[in-house]
Amino acid sequence: MNQQNFRTALLTGTAIAALFALVPGGANAQMYTTGPGFYLSAEGRYVFNHSDKSTTWTPGDSIIGGEFPDSDDGPGATARSGNGWGGKAMLGYRFSSNWDIGLGLSGNWLKKGKKSTSLVSTSEENYSELKTKLDYQVADFEAGYNWKMGQNSNMRVFGGIRFANFNQKASASGFHTESSSTASASGKRKTTFVGIGPRLGLNGSFGIGNGGFNMFGGVSGALLYGKYKDKLSVHAHSTSFFGATTTTNVKGKKNKSKLVPNAEGEIGLGYNFNSSGGSTVGIQLGYRAEGWWGVGSDANVIESHFTTHASNVF
């Protein structure tokens, strides 16, 4: 895997989770139940995005008669979606045996990232601006098997089905002026992926001392099969010194089926409170990271011909 396709940070988040496990038993943490009975977890996140960047244009990619942008105009703007908020809720049931089932729903909404670039010389001026935005939602249905490891510790292996829906939007604009002509262009690119596939993982909660403190962690991986769509629309216009005008419109779209790998992990600290009725309530603070390969696009938003290239989200 090359450097561009791998980021050590992946997608990070800070989570505070509260668990209301309507079950008797000792220390519980998110998704690590002792049963029998229902459990519910809720999580909030602040997401630091490190996905691949979109690009306004590539130097030398002629839009109108070689004028916009020209090969000496420098690179266009590049930008990724900004940081944002997300969350997850999961409801499940722990049987009297060591088995449990659960349904989880999560979403992440990243703020619009913005970047501009300009080049000014004695004979010409060039400016570009790019805005990108990303949101995605995930649904999990899973079944798990639990091992109790001492009074305050639990290990769980699980498998299930994961569904994911990604939406990336990028919009760009720019202009170029020189002694003999002026040119302007704008473009919009929308990329989506919707897929479903198997998921496997391992998580656990490990008690610290005889109190309610614990350390939790887990890893999982999924392989989703689905539909990838990439759609582009560009409008450009130029006027020469002699008054001649040229208008260019570029449209393109691509639909294809593809496999998307997904990996994630989490680690953190928690504290469990014994509440009335034999229930347990816990609070957690931690770090989680996840990566999705090939669900977005880092291709040009302004270009003279339609091309497509998938990008990664971390």
Side-chain angles (χ1 to χ4, degrees):
M1 187 177 298
N2 60 41
Q3 185 176 2
Q4 181 182 7
N5 291 341
F6 179 76
R7 311 295 177 117
T8 56
L10 299 180
L11 177 65
T12 64
T14 301
I16 300 177
L19 174 71
F20 303 96
L22 306 180
V23 298
N28 296 327
Q30 183 184 8
M31 281 303 302
Y32 319 129
T33 65
T34 55
F38 288 96
Y39 59 86
L40 171 67
S41 66
E43 175 183 299
R45 311 169 182 166
Y46 186 73
V47 181
F48 298 92
N49 180 35
H50 292 273
S51 59
D52 295 337
K53 293 181 178 180
S54 299
T55 305
T56 304
W57 64 64
T58 300
D61 184 12
S62 172
I63 300 295
I64 306 174
E67 294 181 358
F68 183 74
D70 223 337
S71 59
D72 60 351
D73 289 333
T78 59
R80 65 168 62 98
S81 299
N83 301 334
W85 293 95
K88 179 179 180 179
M90 190 155 194
L91 175 66
Y93 185 83
R94 173 74 155 87
F95 298 96
S96 56
S97 62
N98 291 332
W99 291 94
D100 67 72
I101 56 173
L103 175 64
L105 301 174
S106 65
N108 298 274
W109 294 268
L110 307 183
K111 297 178 181 179
K112 184 177 292 185
K114 180 179 178 181
K115 184 69 175 180
S116 62
T117 183
S118 62
L119 174 67
V120 179
S121 67
T122 56
S123 61
E124 62 183 282
E125 181 179 356
N126 188 65
Y127 174 82
S128 66
E129 181 180 87
L130 175 66
K131 299 177 181 179
T132 60
K133 188 177 181 180
L134 172 69
D135 65 79
Y136 62 98
Q137 298 79 40
V138 178
D140 292 306
F141 177 78
E142 60 188 52
Y145 187 84
N146 299 261
W147 289 275
K148 190 173 182 180
M149 304 172 61
Q151 181 179 359
N152 298 323
S153 300
N154 189 74
M155 182 70 70
R156 177 176 180 266
V157 61
F158 63 89
I161 300 295
R162 166 160 282 190
F163 169 85
N165 175 51
F166 280 78
N167 291 280
Q168 177 185 317
K169 296 180 180 180
S171 60
S173 61
F175 70 85
H176 172 78
T177 62
E178 57 185 44
S179 58
S180 61
S181 65
T182 63
S184 62
S186 61
K188 293 182 179 181
R189 187 164 215 130
K190 181 178 181 180
T191 309
T192 62
F193 173 77
V194 179
I196 189 170
R199 176 173 175 251
L200 296 173
L202 176 71
N203 53 28
S205 174
F206 308 95
I208 301 175
N210 295 324
F213 288 99
N214 62 83
M215 175 178 291
F216 69 90
V219 294
S220 68
L223 184 62
L224 281 66
Y225 177 79
K227 183 68 69 174
Y228 175 86
K229 298 181 180 181
D230 191 18
K231 184 178 181 181
L232 174 69
S233 176
V234 178
H235 175 77
H237 181 80
S238 71
T239 303
S240 71
F241 177 76
F242 302 101
T245 62
T246 303
T247 299
T248 302
N249 291 296
V250 179
K251 292 183 180 295
K253 61 181 179 180
K254 184 173 184 178
N255 300 337
K256 68 175 183 178
S257 299
K258 66 182 303 184
L259 289 172
V260 168
N262 160 233
E264 62 184 15
E266 64 179 3
I267 189 170
L269 294 173
Y271 186 82
N272 296 306
F273 306 87
N274 289 325
S275 58
S276 61
S279 301
T280 299
V281 177
I283 186 170
Q284 298 175 339
L285 179 66
Y287 172 98
R288 67 188 311 272
E290 61 183 37
W292 303 81
W293 282 264
V295 293
S297 174
D298 58 4
N300 295 336
V301 182
I302 297 177
E303 56 184 13
S304 57
H305 58 284
F306 175 69
T307 60
T308 184
H309 185 266
S311 67
N312 307 318
V313 174
F314 302 116

